[in-house]
Amino acid sequence: MRRVLIDGHNDLVLHRWRHEPTKHMDLEAARAAGLAGAFFALYVPSPAIPDPTEIPYALPLPAAIPHVEAARIADELYAALCELPVGRATSTADFREGEVAAIVHLEGAEAIAPDLSNLEDWYARDLRSIGLTWSRPNQFAEGVPFRFPSGSDTGPGLTTVGVELVRACNQLGIIVDLSHLNWAGFWDVAGISEAPLVATHSNAHALCAASRNLADEQLDAIRDSGGVVGVNFAVTFLREDGCEVPETPLAEIVRHIDHYAERMGIDHVAFGSDFDGAVVPAELGGAAGLPKLVDALRDAGYDDDAVAKITHGNWLRVLDATWHS
Ligand SMILES: [Zn+2]
């Protein structure tokens, strides 16, 4: 494949559901840039928390959203996704040059019933990836609150039904996403899951001490499982100072990719943009700017083989290993 990109996270669906214009995910531009596949998050929003203006910051953990309410909103989000002019991917054969295929992803598992009775219904809707939590607690696990500087060891691990959900995902062939999960939850999943470990949109804590970022030991576990991490383009998770500065250079993304490649090897690094969910470097703009990032990787010394792995090859390997298709 010539220039095919696969990306680990975007929030376009939330914008569509709210009838807001997209900031980063113009689909025509994304297609032209080579985006063939992306995780389209169905995120049931918590009440907005103001962006932290001072460093350090320690935002409170948002309240849980009850299952019934979350399930109703997730249905609406799913309907909004279905109205987008994109295909849906349930096999890596569904990624084709010149088309965008959506990987249906729940960001936070609140919409799944505590007895898992609707998980197969969601599978039938092409759901192929579940982030156990957003940054809040739910019936399965607890997410990490937004803090800087902070580690992610902020609360309890998986509940009994959380363990059952991970096993059910393994059985059905659904990705279990570790982004937003706290430290205890991460290690619970690492101990249970039979699939490669995946963090769809998370950065390196060694380079930016945000609670959302992954410690080197976590990266080692992802590498050892044959998994992958999508580098998040959110400037607050890239910059050493944790500040929300739109003029952050593209090189900050490459800095995290370098760290991942050094720590885990080139087979475990991918993109996880967080387009439409975060402030990303102005130099990149949005999906239309992805070729600039590919050029920056080449300028940094990544050869064709390495670039192919980062842009799509690693995602394809992990999806093939996880999905039953
Ligand atoms: Zn997220």
Side-chain angles (χ1 to χ4, degrees):
M1 287 198 272
R2 195 173 45 89
R3 189 180 68 202
V4 173
L5 306 170
I6 297 182
D7 182 62
H9 191 89
N10 75 68
D11 282 299
L12 175 60
V13 172
L14 183 66
H15 286 262
R16 286 301 174 105
W17 177 71
R18 286 175 164 161
H19 306 287
E20 293 169 354
T22 172
K23 290 193 188 86
H24 304 135
M25 275 297 289
D26 179 279
L27 287 170
E28 210 42 63
R31 228 185 311 268
L35 190 73
F39 288 71
F40 281 63
L42 306 182
Y43 162 65
V44 176
S46 281
I49 12 175
D51 282 343
T53 50
E54 274 175 31
I55 305 285
Y57 60 85
L59 302 183
L61 195 65
I65 297 179
H67 161 65
V68 172
E69 184 187 341
R72 179 180 59 78
I73 295 168
D75 284 348
E76 294 179 12
L77 291 163
Y78 181 76
L81 169 61
C82 291
E83 283 175 16
L84 293 174
V86 295
R88 290 204 292 269
T90 57
S91 148
T92 53
D94 295 327
F95 302 119
R96 296 181 199 92
E97 243 180 285
E99 295 172 32
V100 181
I103 297 165
V104 182
H105 169 77
L106 274 179
E107 184 173 31
E110 286 87 351
I112 303 299
D115 62 2
L116 312 186
S117 55
N118 64 348
L119 184 62
E120 292 196 18
D121 297 338
W122 272 100
Y123 187 85
R125 291 168 142 189
D126 297 333
L127 178 76
R128 289 296 182 277
S129 176
I130 298 181
L132 292 186
T133 68
W134 186 68
S135 284
R136 65 189 173 219
N138 64 30
Q139 60 268 39
F140 303 108
E142 188 170 300
V144 66
F146 296 104
R147 295 181 184 170
F148 184 98
S150 170
S152 64
D153 192 4
T154 54
L158 268 54
T159 63
T160 307
V161 284
V163 171
E164 284 166 15
L165 177 58
V166 172
R167 294 210 169 106
C169 286
N170 283 170
Q171 243 157 38
L172 283 167
I174 296 175
I175 299 260
V176 176
D177 177 19
L178 297 160
S179 290
H180 287 277
L181 197 56
N182 66 15
W183 182 262
F186 178 100
W187 292 109
D188 283 345
V189 175
I192 304 161
S193 182
E194 290 163 3
L197 299 177
V198 170
T200 56
H201 60 305
S202 290
N203 287 349
H205 197 272
L207 304 184
C208 167
S211 54
R212 266 280 280 110
N213 288 347
L214 296 168
D216 283 341
E217 305 95 289
Q218 295 177 300
L219 300 178
D220 295 346
I222 290 169
R223 174 200 60 213
D224 293 345
S225 75
V228 71
V229 186
V231 170
N232 191 317
F233 303 168
V235 296
T236 49
F237 303 146
L238 287 168
R239 298 170 60 92
E240 192 173 6
D241 64 10
C243 291
E244 189 159 82
V245 180
E247 294 75 28
T248 298
L250 207 56
E252 283 291 298
I253 300 174
V254 178
R255 194 169 75 96
H256 283 258
I257 290 173
D258 287 345
H259 182 80
Y260 281 174
E262 269 165 41
R263 185 81 195 189
M264 298 188 285
I266 199 70
D267 290 331
H268 308 283
V269 194
F271 294 157
S273 67
D274 219 343
F275 282 149
D276 280 336
V279 173
V280 307
E283 203 184 338
L284 188 69
L290 284 168
K292 276 191 218 169
L293 177 57
V294 176
D295 289 343
L297 290 175
R298 291 189 196 283
D299 292 346
Y302 291 92
D303 63 16
D304 286 351
D305 185 47
V307 168
K309 286 178 173 180
I310 296 168
T311 54
H312 61 271
N314 292 333
W315 272 129
L316 293 180
R317 184 192 75 243
V318 168
L319 297 174
D320 267 334
T322 308
W323 289 349
H324 301 166
S325 50

